[in-house]
Every structure is written in C-alpha cells, then in structure tokens.
Amino acid sequence: MRLPVLVMTPHSSSHLPPQILAEMLGPNFLNETARNHRQRWLFHENDPFTDIIFQLEGAYNLHALVNRFVVDLNRPRDYGGDNGVIKLTDFECRPLYPPSFELNASSREERLRRYWDSFYRDINALIQEDIRLSITGHSMSPSAPKIAPDADTTLRPALSMMTSGDLSGDPINGRHLSLPKDLALAFRDLLAKHFAEIIAKSDVPDEVLMNSPWDVDSLSHYVSDPKQSKRIPALWHRA
C-alpha cells in the first residue's frame, strides 16, 4: 500500500548537462579543471542530498533530474530576472555565464520545455493518485547568502517550514494557505519534538519557525492552488 504523500525535491540534482556547462564556461569547457570547479561550485550552491534526506519509503517521491542552475523547478515558468526560473547569477550575485552570453527566446523555451515542463507533467500525473499531503524538501546554510531575505541576520533557525502565511500560520497578502493553520501548527510542533535532540547538539538557534525566512513556495503553492482540479495540502520544509 502506498503512503498518500507526495515528496518533491526540486533542488536535489547535481547534474549539469554538457550543453549547459559549455554555455557557462565558453572556451574553458575543454579545461577539465574549469569543469570540475564549476560542478563543485554549483553542487554546493544547490540543495545537495535532499533526495536522500527526504526520500520516504512507500510515498510518491519526485526528485529533480537537473541542477537548479539549469532550470529552477521551484519557480513559475515565466519567472524572470537574474534569480529567475533560469538563473544568470548565483546567490552571491556572481555571474554564471561569460559576459558575451545571451539567452535568447528560443533557447530559453527549449530549456524550459525540456526540463521544467517534464517535471510539472510528472506532478500533474502524480496528484491524480491517492495523495493527501505534499512535502517539498530543501536544505539551507546556517547563514544567509547575499540575495536572501534574511541576509542581514546572524544565524538561521534549525528548521523552517512554509505555508504561504505569516509566522503564526495566518493568511497574508490575499494568498491561499498551502496548509490550514491548525495542521501547520501541529506539523511545526511535531518537527520541534522529533528533532529536539539533534537541534540541541547543533550550532544554530534552536528554533523551528513557520514562514521565516521565506513565506511562499512555488511548488507547494502550485499543488495546493484552489484552481487545481484536485487540491492537495502542501508544506515546504527546509532543514
């Protein structure tokens, strides 16, 4: 019997397709040292090992097949800008491509069609199954990078979960909640209890926060959207 849970990790893959890596490196693509350096760099900028951390036996598990710096699967398809669905810089605002690189409309569409569309086709197929909860799994560094909303803080909380609401789980900005407040509070308390021993031994604040430092997650918002033919309660979990 399958668990009625969908687990997604949109930033777990370390795979950089050769054609994308070539666009990033230009002439240095033929340099083994340059290739290895770029792959290590973007591996650590990703959410490494979240496919292992969040793999749930018996659940419906959907893990990314390409690095988030190829296509960010946790962004709307039309999300632009340097940190958009196709990123031009990393989280410290360092460029990913040579100055001469230009992502034209046809190349952008091809990349989205190949990687973003296929992932969301899988989501749309899976949510028709007997699924009653969706969990999007991420990791986070102890301190925030330059572009993060909490960049000026010292250390991040031990765990964070997101429901598109405020710190108390109430709706904000006219958005729908991806998870009802009472259920969100219960999940938060369970996380705090379950991971209490590990958190106590860590060097980060012993906090389990809701909707901080982020308050909305694209994937959770997508599957829980009231406009969906089948709406699934969803939460975003970052460890």
Side-chain angles (χ1 to χ4, degrees), residues 21 25 31-41:
L21 191 56
L25 294 177
N31 184 308
E32 182 180 6
T33 301
R35 290 198 308 273
N36 290 340
H37 177 268
R38 181 55 58 94
Q39 289 171 320
R40 284 194 302 271
W41 168 15

Side-chain angles (χ1 to χ4, degrees), residues 81-181:
D82 288 350
N83 187 37
V85 64
I86 297 180
K87 302 184 187 306
L88 302 178
T89 61
D90 75 352
F91 302 127
E92 297 294 340
C93 299
R94 295 171 294 194
L96 298 172
Y97 298 89
S100 59
F101 175 77
E102 181 180 349
L103 184 67
N104 60 44
S106 61
S107 296
R108 175 186 174 86
E109 181 61 23
E110 179 185 356
R111 203 187 290 195
L112 291 172
R113 179 184 55 78
R114 182 172 295 182
Y115 302 115
W116 196 97
D117 290 356
S118 60
F119 190 79
Y120 278 77
R121 276 197 300 270
D122 288 343
I123 293 174
N124 291 331
L126 284 170
I127 61 177
Q128 301 309 315
E129 302 290 341
D130 181 25
I131 293 174
R132 302 171 202 173
L133 176 70
S134 171
I135 300 171
T136 305
H138 297 266
S139 63
M140 63 181 173
S141 57
S143 56
K146 188 173 182 177
I147 68 169
D150 56 334
D152 295 329
T153 60
T154 51
L155 289 176
R156 286 171 160 173
L159 299 172
S160 176
M161 58 177 283
M162 185 157 48
T163 65
S164 300
D166 63 14
L167 291 171
S168 301
D170 291 311
I172 56 173
N173 300 329
R175 294 193 302 246
H176 74 269
L177 291 174
S178 64
L179 200 65
K181 179 179 178 177

